[in-house]
Amino acid sequence: MQPKKMYVKNKYQYIGILSNTIRFKENELWGINDLDGNEILPLQFNEVFRLSFGLKLIAAREGSFWKIYNENGEEISSEKYDSLFPFYGMFGITKIKKGNKYGLLNKRGRKIIPISYQKIERFGSGLILHNFDSSIEFVDRKSLMHIPEISSDIYLDQIKEPAKSILQNRIPKKSKSY
């Protein structure tokens, strides 16, 4: 008996598995499902990728704007960005761009440096912030650790129970402003 020849039409242009999700592309649009096939983000985006491995944030571009979603596919804010540039390895920091200005988000998607700089770039173990008046500011790794939205996130994430609950009372509470 001769085996039958079978032809399978590929439904997707791309399929990739990353951090308990499946990123897929069909008809030039992207979406994300979990490993059980449940939809996280529908197949409607021009681009999608994981923004922060630790917190599983997802960056998705629809049209010319980027938005950030949590691991359940819910927007974490209504803010839209022209561009996103993750600085992997630097506490989950992401450089954001709106118009001709740059700022920074922490690993939770909250602004830690306002969108008011002409340029932000990595330099050694820190960042250089270029102002529009041609002056520059340098933020070293130690200073980055003292930004409250970063230091308490990292500090508490690295501490085991029960010391974590004791130390939480010593760290100043963050305001709800984003």
Side-chain angles (χ1 to χ4, degrees), residues 152-165:
S152 62
D153 288 348
I154 290 174
Y155 191 59
L156 291 177
D157 288 348
Q158 294 174 346
I159 296 174
K160 306 285 185 232
E161 298 293 340
K164 184 174 179 177
S165 60

Side-chain angles (χ1 to χ4, degrees), residues 45 66 69 74 80 84 94 114 122 125 136 138 144 159:
F45 297 95
W66 288 90
Y69 298 85
E74 301 159 343
K80 296 178 180 179
L84 299 169
T94 298
R122 289 177 80 157
S125 63
I136 61 170
F138 179 74
L144 281 171
I159 296 174

Side-chain angles (χ1 to χ4, degrees), residues 24-116:
F24 56 95
K25 181 179 182 182
E26 179 183 0
N27 298 323
E28 303 302 321
L29 295 175
W30 291 87
I32 294 183
N33 286 357
D34 65 18
L35 294 179
D36 294 325
N38 301 311
E39 183 178 83
I40 296 173
L41 288 180
L43 189 66
Q44 70 182 38
F45 297 95
N46 301 97
E47 250 179 290
V48 294
F49 65 88
R50 282 279 185 201
L51 190 57
S52 171
F53 290 104
L55 296 175
K56 302 178 182 173
L57 296 180
I58 301 166
R61 182 172 62 88
E62 191 169 13
S64 59
F65 295 105
W66 288 90
K67 294 191 91 172
I68 301 173
Y69 298 85
N70 66 17
E71 65 185 319
N72 300 318
E74 301 159 343
E75 290 181 15
I76 62 167
S77 79
S78 60
E79 189 125 28
K80 296 178 180 179
Y81 306 104
D82 295 330
S83 298
L84 299 169
F85 309 93
F87 286 138
Y88 295 114
M90 289 192 76
F91 317 120
I93 294 173
T94 298
K95 179 170 62 170
I96 51 177
K97 181 180 179 188
K98 278 182 119 174
N100 65 345
K101 297 179 182 179
Y102 293 88
L104 293 176
L105 299 177
N106 68 5
K107 68 181 181 179
R108 298 188 188 284
R110 296 184 185 126
K111 277 187 224 157
I112 55 171
I113 300 284
I115 303 171
S116 59

Side-chain angles (χ1 to χ4, degrees), residues 110 173-178:
R110 296 184 185 126
K173 301 287 186 223
K174 294 185 258 182
S175 67
K176 293 275 184 178
S177 64
Y178 298 104

